[in-house]
Amino acid sequence: AARFADRLKKEAGEDQSRQINLAFQLTLSRPPSATELDAALSFIEQSPEGMRDFAHAIFNLNEFAYIQ
């Protein structure tokens, strides 16, 4: 998760919205909805490790773990 967070910062810059969009594209092959984007931004702001904790969360989504 830490390496993924570093990759997001490297490829998307410091803009957290761009980092979140890139994370969704790379892990789920789709952009986040407006609700998901708002929730992710709020989560990152409140989390001690921000983007790293978000990476952990996105890796644990059912949509990431299971093929439908």
Side-chain angles (χ1 to χ4, degrees), residues 25-57:
Q25 287 295 334
L26 293 172
T27 59
L28 306 177
S29 299
R30 66 172 180 82
S33 68
T35 303
E36 290 170 327
L37 181 60
D38 290 341
L41 286 168
S42 178
F43 177 83
I44 290 166
E45 289 174 8
Q46 295 175 9
S47 176
E49 293 295 326
M51 192 55 67
R52 188 188 72 175
D53 290 342
F54 170 73
H56 270 279

Side-chain angles (χ1 to χ4, degrees), residues 1-64:
R3 287 185 182 171
F4 187 59
D6 290 342
R7 177 182 177 185
L8 296 173
K9 289 178 184 176
K10 181 179 178 184
E11 293 183 19
E14 293 299 319
D15 183 344
Q16 289 181 337
S17 293
R18 291 184 65 208
Q19 293 172 7
I20 293 165
N21 276 297
L22 180 59
F24 269 76
Q25 287 295 334
L26 293 172
T27 59
L28 306 177
S29 299
R30 66 172 180 82
S33 68
T35 303
E36 290 170 327
L37 181 60
D38 290 341
L41 286 168
S42 178
F43 177 83
I44 290 166
E45 289 174 8
Q46 295 175 9
S47 176
E49 293 295 326
M51 192 55 67
R52 188 188 72 175
D53 290 342
F54 170 73
H56 270 279
I58 206 165
F59 288 153
N60 283 293
L61 291 173
N62 282 343
E63 189 176 350
F64 177 76

